[in-house]
Amino acid sequence: LGLSLVAYLLYKLPSKVKDIKFRRSTLPMTSKFKPEAPWWVLVQMSLNLSIAMAQSLFQEAEWQITWMTSCFMFYQCLLISYRPYFSPVTYYCDVASTFGKALILTAAVPYQMSPDGKGTYVTAVVVVVYMVVIGHCVFALTLWIRFRVKGEIADISKAWENLGGRLVMKLKL
């Protein structure tokens, strides 16, 4: 019910731009996002719903952790792609906290794996998550080195622009 109500309010938002009462009532829901991305609250609610559904969808702890880690990593990719927050501090805090949540979940995997080897897929997900985190750290380190050595001030939006395409060209895939 809550998700559909928020979706309806966001649907009505463009047509009620001049309605002060409507804008004031939706302000807590949309104020932290850029004007072109008030819908991000739906993404956050969907993430929370998918995390809460982990216990209903899977009986084994390994698969619950895998599901939640996958949800956080998908959210992380969307977050980095869209940059929906109005304040850069809020954006960077959400990026860091999402990475932290995924790392906490992946750290719990060895304690949840069964001795009969059923956790091999979970281990693969853990490896991928750590590779993504290490990749982001290397990317941040290269930006820092460029600043220190060459004096280049990093434009984050330019640095992330077509990052996948540039990686494919460098790897010659």
Side-chain angles (χ1 to χ4, degrees):
L1 182 65
L3 196 62
S4 59
L5 176 64
V6 170
Y8 176 75
L9 289 174
L10 289 173
Y11 174 74
K12 286 294 190 179
L13 193 62
S15 64
K16 300 229 180 211
V17 171
K18 306 253 188 225
D19 187 359
I20 295 296
K21 285 185 178 182
F22 184 82
R23 295 293 291 180
R24 283 184 184 159
S25 65
T26 59
L27 188 65
M29 182 175 66
T30 60
S31 64
K32 60 184 171 181
F33 305 113
K34 290 181 180 175
E36 61 270 8
W39 47 267
W40 194 257
V41 71
L42 282 177
V43 174
Q44 290 180 327
M45 290 177 75
S46 299
L47 172 70
N48 293 337
L49 177 65
S50 63
I51 295 300
M53 287 176 40
Q55 288 183 336
S56 300
L57 294 174
F58 304 103
Q59 297 298 319
E60 296 87 16
E62 299 96 7
W63 288 107
Q64 292 173 2
I65 291 173
T66 303
W67 172 261
M68 290 188 290
T69 305
S70 301
C71 290
F72 281 129
M73 294 312 294
F74 182 70
Y75 175 76
Q76 184 76 32
C77 292
L78 289 175
L79 183 63
I80 290 172
S81 297
Y82 289 105
R83 296 180 58 97
Y85 290 104
F86 185 72
S87 169
V89 173
T90 309
Y91 166 73
Y92 291 123
C93 287
D94 197 6
V95 168
S97 67
T98 303
F99 268 136
K101 292 172 196 173
L103 288 177
I104 288 170
L105 285 172
T106 55
V109 169
Y111 303 106
Q112 298 295 329
M113 288 178 47
S114 57
D116 58 358
K118 291 187 339 189
T120 55
Y121 178 74
V122 177
T123 306
V125 170
V126 169
V127 169
V128 169
V129 168
Y130 279 125
M131 287 174 48
V132 168
V133 170
I134 290 169
H136 280 86
C137 291
V138 167
F139 182 70
L141 185 63
T142 57
L143 290 178
W144 182 78
I145 289 172
R146 282 184 184 171
F147 175 71
R148 284 292 191 194
V149 174
K150 296 181 181 178
E152 294 178 11
I153 296 177
D155 181 13
I156 299 296
S157 59
K158 185 179 178 191
W160 281 104
E161 185 177 73
N162 196 20
L163 183 63
R166 287 185 294 160
L167 286 174
V168 168
M169 293 300 291
K170 286 186 180 185
L171 295 174
K172 294 181 173 84
L173 295 176

